[in-house]
Amino acid sequence: MNVLAIFKVAGRALFRNKVRSLLTMLGIIIGVAAVIVTVSIGVGAQQSVSAQINGLGSNLLIILPGSVTQGGARTGSGGASTLTPADGLALAKLPHVAAVSPQVNARAQVIANGSNWATSISGVAPSYTFIRTWPLSSGLFFSDTDIAASAKVCVLGQTVVDNLWPDGSSPVGKTLLIRNVPFTIIGVLKARGQSATGQDQDDTVLIPFSSALERLTGGTTIGTLLVSADDTSTIALVQSEVTQLLEQRHRITASQPDDFTVRNLQDIANAASATAAVMEYLLAGVAAVSLVVGGIGIMNIMLVSVTERTREIGLRIAVGARSLTILMQFLIEAVLLSSAGGAIGIALGALGSIGVAVFGGWPMVIPPAAVFVAFAFSALTGIFFGYYPASQAAKMNPIEALRFE
Amino acid sequence: MSTRPPVVRVEKLTKIYTVGEQKVLALDQIDLTLEAGEFVAVMGPSGSGKSTLMHLVGFLDRPTAGTYLFEGTNVNDFSSDDLADLRCQHLGFVFQSYNLLSRTNAIENVELPMIYAGVPEGERKKRALEALDAVGLTAVADHQPNQLSGGQQQRVAIARALVNDPSLILADEPTGALDTKSSDDVMRLFRELNEQRGITVFLVTHEPDVARNAKRIVTFRDGHIVSDEPVGQAVIR
Ligand SMILES: Nc1ncnc2c1ncn2[C@@H]1O[C@H](COP(=O)(O)OP(=O)(O)OP(=O)(O)O)[C@@H](O)[C@H]1O
Ligand SMILES: [Mg+2]
């Protein structure tokens, strides 16, 4: 008799016991669904994190002033005022450096169109839009001439526009008072949404860094230098060159600690993906455990089923079933249960993933490999845990089986 | 006249069961021949070895000693797969307790032996309906066992036994659980199958009325055949 016929016999036997079959599958269903949902959460979260990290800027290095010790108390990173615009100009001349922009931060109350708004003011260079890959939605960005002249011009983030011009009219050409100094609005940045740390990136006003130093902070040192390497592959090289050059410029000897820190976003991204890799091992472990538990459930029920159906098995042997055929029938029953459980689990898992993705606000991603592996493993579980009960059935003595009460 | 070999020929057939230290001699060097087309009833007290002989003749068990020729072929050395195929192609079984699959209708129950014989699905259904017609159950062909009387269930079992067109039907106390009326119906069926289709019937019973349907009666005691006579001459106790 052919395998297809055995499949039909096995399928009919399962169908005869619908409720039990469903309950038997439950372990596998829950296990596989859980695996699919968690893998989907893992991948979705990872993708949105790396999208946000990439969104910070292209091949970005962030240079912060280092901590200094004042009377025994060390300030935190950024506590010292050691970076200057001149450092930025020097760094820009390094090979493989695509762009450099200082960033001078301040918080200020701004007034326009008859209302006011507290926001963060950043003094930056024209290269800022390139470094942060942050285009304008309207107007122009300031130029090197504006930097040289410490011009009173500004570019607004969308949140600032929305709060000062709730009617939606264009602010370009209007005047914004920053600490009562009038700045001409020359452009508006494209809306960007939240940063990786949950801050509203659009709640900002950009002005020339020279104007910020002159009119807001009143100093000569800058808070941050943003450096963009010309390629992903040169980030590490640029990092060491930047470090060397700044040590040289700040006259730091080998025995002294640096008075600045160079942060590489790639490191953060790598750390994030290392975390994701650990998560994946963890998930694989959870998956393995849940499939083993599901498999034991199948074995358990199959053993009960073989005992319960002893007379049926005896009869099948009496009417001419070979023992291999009996083995196949029960093995196929187990595999049908486990792979149907796997398929249902995948479907439920996909539904769950959609729900979680909508809730978490990231793209719904179910890697095809995860689906394939989950299905293959659940089928294998059936073979592995179905074999023992099936061999018990195939070994039965028909006379005793037919007498079984 | 007929050159056909006997359906069953056993010589010095012996079966010893070992239970722990104890040995039970269930069959003691039996010689017996069933010619094609015979209808033989086996009688004898409980424990005399009737069922044991049925099991050996039906390839469900192997003898401790002796030879078994089935349709002229020595099957002593057949593998269990070969024996399964013989059961499938040449034998039909009827049991005292019917042994129908529950939650499975009469047609599908009758189809069961054909599945293992590799009969294609469409033909299976057709032949199952024919067999059910032969036992007079066309009207309840789609009923499940729990919707049938004992007599009807046993007739479904007979339909199942004859559906692969066997040369031998083995029935161990087929009327043991039936009332007189159903018992008569079932025995009439066996006679019909024997007379009209020429199927050899080998049947165990405790009831003289049932045994009288056969043409020959073999009586057992303590693993021996104590009498073997045509039904007219047999002294039925
Ligand atoms: N599987 C077995 N293991 C051990 N002894 C057995 C086994 N089967 C049968 N016997 C013994 O063999 C002997 C013959 O048994 P068998 O079942 O053939 O009797 P029987 O004639 O069919 O009896 P009954 O009319 O009660 O059905 C008995 O003594 C029985 O106890
Ligand atoms: Mg018996």
Side-chain angles (χ1 to χ4, degrees), chain A residues 119-402:
Chain A
T119 186
S120 83
I121 316 291
S122 287
V124 298
S127 54
Y128 185 80
T129 54
F130 167 79
I131 293 171
R132 298 285 316 266
T133 48
W134 197 351
L136 298 176
S137 63
S138 65
L140 294 167
F141 207 75
F142 36 85
S143 64
D144 288 330
T145 324
D146 295 322
I147 300 290
S150 301
K152 291 185 278 182
V153 291
C154 66
V155 172
L156 305 188
Q158 191 59 48
T159 302
V160 177
V161 175
D162 290 344
N163 281 289
L164 296 180
W165 284 271
D167 58 344
S169 66
S170 171
V172 176
K174 306 253 168 58
T175 299
L176 182 77
L177 290 179
I178 304 175
R179 290 195 188 156
N180 292 324
V181 181
F183 279 71
T184 306
I185 300 165
I186 58 170
V188 176
L189 290 161
K190 256 213 174 100
R192 201 152 201 206
Q194 286 188 352
S195 73
T197 51
Q199 281 166 338
D200 180 3
Q201 301 182 80
D202 299 319
D203 190 3
T204 191
V205 174
L206 300 182
I207 58 175
F209 69 87
S210 50
S211 314
L213 289 175
E214 243 171 68
R215 301 178 202 281
L216 295 182
T217 63
T220 53
T221 57
I222 53 182
T224 315
L225 273 171
L226 304 177
V227 177
S228 188
D230 63 0
D231 193 77
T232 317
S233 61
T234 57
I235 293 176
L237 177 66
V238 170
Q239 184 171 7
S240 71
E241 284 178 347
V242 163
T243 308
Q244 265 180 18
L245 183 63
L246 285 179
E247 282 172 351
Q248 194 185 320
R249 286 178 59 84
H250 295 186
R251 301 202 172 77
I252 292 165
T253 61
S255 60
Q256 282 175 300
D258 286 347
D259 61 356
F260 60 90
T261 322
V262 182
R263 284 209 190 143
N264 179 347
L265 282 184
Q266 200 59 41
D267 290 345
I268 301 170
N270 289 347
S273 45
T275 314
V278 171
M279 278 290 285
E280 260 154 44
Y281 287 126
L282 211 74
L283 290 176
V286 170
V289 169
S290 63
L291 283 175
V292 167
V293 171
I296 291 171
I298 286 188
M299 176 154 78
N300 206 349
I301 302 289
M302 288 301 293
L303 280 173
V304 170
S305 162
V306 164
T307 307
E308 258 187 22
R309 288 155 69 190
T310 297
R311 286 171 76 102
E312 174 193 330
I313 295 163
L315 176 73
R316 289 180 186 275
I317 297 174
V319 300
R322 293 178 170 197
S323 62
L324 182 67
T325 310
I326 298 287
L327 181 90
M328 293 270 282
Q329 180 191 330
F330 282 88
L331 201 52
I332 289 172
E333 279 187 28
V335 173
L336 282 179
L337 279 177
S338 65
S339 47
I344 296 174
I346 288 169
L348 286 183
L351 280 181
S353 305
I354 293 173
V356 174
V358 167
F359 186 73
W362 55 65
M364 207 278 286
V365 201
I366 298 175
V371 172
F372 178 79
V373 168
F375 187 77
F377 262 87
S378 47
L380 279 179
T381 303
I383 294 177
F384 187 81
F385 288 100
Y387 186 82
Y388 177 69
S391 69
Q392 294 300 98
K395 272 203 294 240
M396 262 181 203
N397 174 331
I399 300 167
E400 282 164 20
L402 283 166

Side-chain angles (χ1 to χ4, degrees), chain A residues 403, chain B residues 46-47 49-52 55 96 172-173 204 206:
Chain A
R403 256 197 228 125
Chain B
S46 185
K50 308 179 296 290
S51 295
T52 303
H55 297 150
Q96 178 176 354
D172 196 347
E173 301 188 37
V204 172
H206 281 288

Side-chain angles (χ1 to χ4, degrees), chain A residues 319-320, chain B residues 70 82-92 113 116-118 164-168:
Chain A
V319 300
Chain B
F70 183 81
D82 293 336
L83 294 178
D85 293 349
L86 276 185
R87 285 198 296 273
C88 193
Q89 308 290 340
H90 298 284
L91 296 191
Y116 297 108
N164 268 348
D165 203 11
S167 39
L168 174 64

Side-chain angles (χ1 to χ4, degrees), chain A residues 36-122:
Chain A
I36 295 291
V37 171
T38 37
V39 166
S40 165
I41 291 175
V43 175
Q46 193 190 342
Q47 283 197 359
S48 80
V49 165
S50 63
Q52 282 175 336
I53 287 176
N54 289 337
L56 285 178
S58 55
N59 310 325
L60 188 63
L61 292 171
I62 299 176
I63 303 162
L64 296 168
S67 71
V68 289
T69 308
Q70 288 173 333
R74 295 172 72 209
T75 65
S77 194
S81 313
T82 51
L83 296 175
T84 61
D87 285 334
L89 289 177
L91 292 180
K93 296 201 183 85
L94 284 172
H96 300 303
V97 168
V100 176
S101 170
Q103 186 168 345
V104 181
N105 294 318
R107 279 200 76 80
Q109 203 75 17
V110 296
I111 304 168
N113 197 27
S115 56
N116 69 85
W117 183 247
T119 186
S120 83
I121 316 291
S122 287

